[in-house]
Amino acid sequence: MALINCHECGTQMSDKAQSCPKCGAPNPNAAPVQQFSYQPQMMFNPCARHPQAPAVAHCGQCGAALCADCKDITAYEYDNKPLCIDCNIKVMESNISALKSTKRWSMVKFILLAFIVFIAFSIYSSNPGNWDTIFAAWIVAAIGGIFSTINMARRSEAEKAADDIYTRYNPGDGLMYEGMGCITRLALAIFFAPFYTAGYTIKHLFRWLSSSRKLNKAKQEYNNYIALLQERGEI
């Protein structure tokens, strides 16, 4: 380090000093002071599938962070939030599984009920004018809907309570009233059961056809989504 004279007042100072300590005149020979500026680092939440991309949303089911690309190719939303790729696939597979189960059970129920209707119609066709034949066909046809009509004919809790009170004060009449009511409900259940059998047969036929159509659509949607993911290199 060397001493130099200030060019303004002549005071000696270090040649490294930025200015004169007495008059404050700048030292033209001093190296300029390097200025440092603070630049805050940009922070972002990375996408769970693409760590290099910032997240713009979160999966409505699992909460995973989604980038713009993941958000754009979502097929479903939950609570107005897009689903991630993995949750989309799970939802599609769950829909396919549920539709397969619905289709299978609808088909089984339809075949069983159609078989009952066929047997009843065959009995009736063997001797249409005979009341015994008609009664036998009616009973067979009632098999498919008897449980539904019995459930519909059950007494409510209020009716049971009223019957219990009546039976308590009128034991004989009350028991007879309950017995006649039970017989009446059973007769009505048997009478209306064949109509329910026919109705359920048609219902399960349409449910079978509808679930089959929805299943084909769900499978096509799944295949298209998988093809899109393969095209973008996601799987």
Side-chain angles (χ1 to χ4, degrees), residues 7 25 42 54 76-78 89 94 108 112 115 153 165 168 186 189 197 212 221 227:
H7 66 280
M42 297 297 294
Y76 296 99
E77 290 186 354
Y78 180 76
I89 294 177
S94 177
V108 170
L112 179 60
F115 179 73
I165 294 174
R168 186 181 306 170
L186 180 60
T197 300
S212 179
E221 181 184 12

CSV table of all heavy atoms in Angstrom, one decimal, residues 7 25 42 54 76-78 89 94 108 112 115 153 165 168 186 189 197 212 221 227:
chain,number,residue,atom,x,y,z
A,7,HIS,N,-5.7,15.2,-4.5
A,7,HIS,CA,-5.6,16.2,-5.5
A,7,HIS,C,-6.4,17.5,-5.2
A,7,HIS,O,-6.3,18.5,-5.9
A,7,HIS,CB,-6.1,15.6,-6.9
A,7,HIS,CG,-7.5,15.3,-6.9
A,7,HIS,ND1,-8.0,14.2,-6.4
A,7,HIS,CD2,-8.6,16.0,-7.4
A,7,HIS,CE1,-9.4,14.2,-6.6
A,7,HIS,NE2,-9.7,15.3,-7.2
A,25,ALA,N,-12.9,14.2,-1.3
A,25,ALA,CA,-12.8,14.1,-2.7
A,25,ALA,C,-12.5,12.7,-3.1
A,25,ALA,O,-11.7,11.9,-2.5
A,25,ALA,CB,-11.6,15.0,-3.2
A,42,MET,N,-36.8,-17.3,-7.2
A,42,MET,CA,-38.2,-17.7,-7.5
A,42,MET,C,-38.5,-19.1,-6.9
A,42,MET,O,-37.8,-20.0,-7.3
A,42,MET,CB,-38.5,-17.6,-9.0
A,42,MET,CG,-38.4,-16.2,-9.6
A,42,MET,SD,-39.5,-15.1,-8.9
A,42,MET,CE,-41.1,-15.7,-9.4
A,54,PRO,N,-43.7,-26.1,-12.7
A,54,PRO,CA,-44.4,-25.6,-11.6
A,54,PRO,C,-45.9,-26.1,-11.5
A,54,PRO,O,-46.5,-26.3,-12.6
A,54,PRO,CB,-44.4,-24.1,-11.7
A,54,PRO,CG,-44.3,-23.9,-13.2
A,54,PRO,CD,-43.5,-25.0,-13.7
A,76,TYR,N,-61.5,-36.2,-15.5
A,76,TYR,CA,-62.5,-36.1,-14.4
A,76,TYR,C,-62.2,-35.0,-13.5
A,76,TYR,O,-61.0,-34.6,-13.4
A,76,TYR,CB,-62.7,-37.4,-13.6
A,76,TYR,CG,-63.2,-38.6,-14.4
A,76,TYR,CD1,-62.3,-39.5,-14.9
A,76,TYR,CD2,-64.5,-38.7,-14.7
A,76,TYR,CE1,-62.7,-40.6,-15.7
A,76,TYR,CE2,-65.0,-39.8,-15.5
A,76,TYR,CZ,-64.1,-40.7,-15.9
A,76,TYR,OH,-64.5,-41.8,-16.7
A,77,GLU,N,-63.1,-34.4,-12.8
A,77,GLU,CA,-63.0,-33.5,-11.7
A,77,GLU,C,-63.7,-33.9,-10.5
A,77,GLU,O,-64.7,-34.6,-10.6
A,77,GLU,CB,-63.5,-32.1,-12.2
A,77,GLU,CG,-62.6,-31.4,-13.3
A,77,GLU,CD,-63.1,-30.0,-13.5
A,77,GLU,OE1,-64.1,-29.6,-13.0
A,77,GLU,OE2,-62.4,-29.3,-14.3
A,78,TYR,N,-63.2,-33.5,-9.4
A,78,TYR,CA,-63.8,-33.8,-8.1
A,78,TYR,C,-63.8,-32.6,-7.3
A,78,TYR,O,-62.8,-32.0,-7.0
A,78,TYR,CB,-63.1,-34.9,-7.3
A,78,TYR,CG,-63.7,-35.3,-6.0
A,78,TYR,CD1,-64.9,-36.1,-6.0
A,78,TYR,CD2,-63.2,-34.9,-4.8
A,78,TYR,CE1,-65.5,-36.4,-4.7
A,78,TYR,CE2,-63.8,-35.2,-3.6
A,78,TYR,CZ,-64.9,-35.9,-3.6
A,78,TYR,OH,-65.5,-36.2,-2.4
A,89,ILE,N,-57.0,-42.7,-14.0
A,89,ILE,CA,-57.0,-44.1,-14.4
A,89,ILE,C,-57.8,-45.0,-13.4
A,89,ILE,O,-58.5,-45.9,-13.7
A,89,ILE,CB,-55.5,-44.6,-14.5
A,89,ILE,CG1,-54.9,-43.9,-15.7
A,89,ILE,CG2,-55.5,-46.1,-14.7
A,89,ILE,CD1,-53.4,-44.3,-15.9
A,94,SER,N,-62.4,-48.2,-11.9
A,94,SER,CA,-63.5,-48.4,-11.0
A,94,SER,C,-64.8,-48.4,-11.7
A,94,SER,O,-65.7,-49.2,-11.4
A,94,SER,CB,-63.4,-47.4,-9.9
A,94,SER,OG,-64.5,-47.6,-9.0
A,108,VAL,N,-78.1,-62.0,-14.9
A,108,VAL,CA,-78.5,-63.2,-14.2
A,108,VAL,C,-80.0,-63.0,-13.7
A,108,VAL,O,-80.8,-64.0,-13.8
A,108,VAL,CB,-77.6,-63.4,-12.9
A,108,VAL,CG1,-78.1,-64.4,-12.0
A,108,VAL,CG2,-76.2,-63.7,-13.4
A,112,LEU,N,-83.2,-65.4,-14.9
A,112,LEU,CA,-84.0,-66.1,-13.8
A,112,LEU,C,-85.4,-65.7,-13.9
A,112,LEU,O,-86.3,-66.6,-13.9
A,112,LEU,CB,-83.4,-65.8,-12.5
A,112,LEU,CG,-84.1,-66.5,-11.3
A,112,LEU,CD1,-84.1,-68.0,-11.4
A,112,LEU,CD2,-83.5,-66.0,-10.0
A,115,PHE,N,-87.1,-67.0,-17.1
A,115,PHE,CA,-87.3,-68.4,-17.0
A,115,PHE,C,-88.6,-68.7,-16.2
A,115,PHE,O,-89.4,-69.5,-16.5
A,115,PHE,CB,-86.1,-69.1,-16.3
A,115,PHE,CG,-86.3,-70.6,-16.1
A,115,PHE,CD1,-86.2,-71.4,-17.2
A,115,PHE,CD2,-86.6,-71.1,-14.9
A,115,PHE,CE1,-86.4,-72.8,-17.1
A,115,PHE,CE2,-86.7,-72.5,-14.7
A,115,PHE,CZ,-86.6,-73.3,-15.8
A,153,ALA,N,-96.1,-54.8,1.7
A,153,ALA,CA,-97.3,-55.0,2.4
A,153,ALA,C,-97.1,-55.0,3.9
A,153,ALA,O,-98.0,-55.2,4.7
A,153,ALA,CB,-98.0,-56.3,2.0
A,165,ILE,N,-101.8,-52.0,21.0
A,165,ILE,CA,-102.7,-51.4,22.0
A,165,ILE,C,-104.1,-52.0,21.9
A,165,ILE,O,-104.8,-52.3,22.9
A,165,ILE,CB,-102.8,-49.8,21.7
A,165,ILE,CG1,-101.4,-49.2,22.0
A,165,ILE,CG2,-103.9,-49.2,22.6
A,165,ILE,CD1,-101.3,-47.8,21.7
A,168,ARG,N,-104.2,-55.4,23.4
A,168,ARG,CA,-104.1,-55.4,24.8
A,168,ARG,C,-105.4,-55.2,25.5
A,168,ARG,O,-105.7,-55.8,26.6
A,168,ARG,CB,-103.1,-54.3,25.3
A,168,ARG,CG,-102.8,-54.3,26.7
A,168,ARG,CD,-101.8,-53.1,27.1
A,168,ARG,NE,-100.7,-53.1,26.2
A,168,ARG,CZ,-99.8,-52.2,26.1
A,168,ARG,NH1,-99.9,-51.0,26.8
A,168,ARG,NH2,-98.7,-52.3,25.3
A,186,LEU,N,-101.0,-61.2,2.8
A,186,LEU,CA,-100.3,-62.3,2.0
A,186,LEU,C,-101.1,-62.5,0.7
A,186,LEU,O,-100.5,-62.7,-0.3
A,186,LEU,CB,-100.3,-63.5,2.9
A,186,LEU,CG,-99.7,-64.8,2.2
A,186,LEU,CD1,-98.2,-64.5,1.9
A,186,LEU,CD2,-99.8,-66.0,3.1
A,189,ALA,N,-100.3,-59.8,-1.6
A,189,ALA,CA,-98.9,-59.9,-2.1
A,189,ALA,C,-98.9,-61.0,-3.2
A,189,ALA,O,-98.2,-60.8,-4.3
A,189,ALA,CB,-98.0,-60.3,-1.0
A,197,THR,N,-93.2,-59.5,-11.0
A,197,THR,CA,-92.3,-60.4,-11.8
A,197,THR,C,-92.1,-59.9,-13.2
A,197,THR,O,-91.0,-59.8,-13.7
A,197,THR,CB,-92.8,-61.8,-11.7
A,197,THR,OG1,-92.9,-62.2,-10.4
A,197,THR,CG2,-91.9,-62.7,-12.5
A,212,SER,N,-74.5,-52.6,-20.5
A,212,SER,CA,-73.7,-53.1,-21.6
A,212,SER,C,-73.2,-52.0,-22.5
A,212,SER,O,-72.0,-51.9,-22.8
A,212,SER,CB,-74.4,-54.2,-22.4
A,212,SER,OG,-73.6,-54.7,-23.4
A,221,GLU,N,-63.5,-45.1,-23.6
A,221,GLU,CA,-62.9,-43.9,-23.0
A,221,GLU,C,-61.6,-44.2,-22.3
A,221,GLU,O,-60.6,-43.4,-22.4
A,221,GLU,CB,-63.9,-43.3,-22.0
A,221,GLU,CG,-63.4,-42.1,-21.2
A,221,GLU,CD,-64.4,-41.6,-20.2
A,221,GLU,OE1,-65.3,-42.4,-19.8
A,221,GLU,OE2,-64.2,-40.5,-19.7
A,227,ALA,N,-54.2,-44.3,-24.7
A,227,ALA,CA,-53.5,-43.9,-26.0
A,227,ALA,C,-53.0,-42.5,-25.9
A,227,ALA,O,-51.9,-42.2,-26.4
A,227,ALA,CB,-54.5,-44.1,-27.1
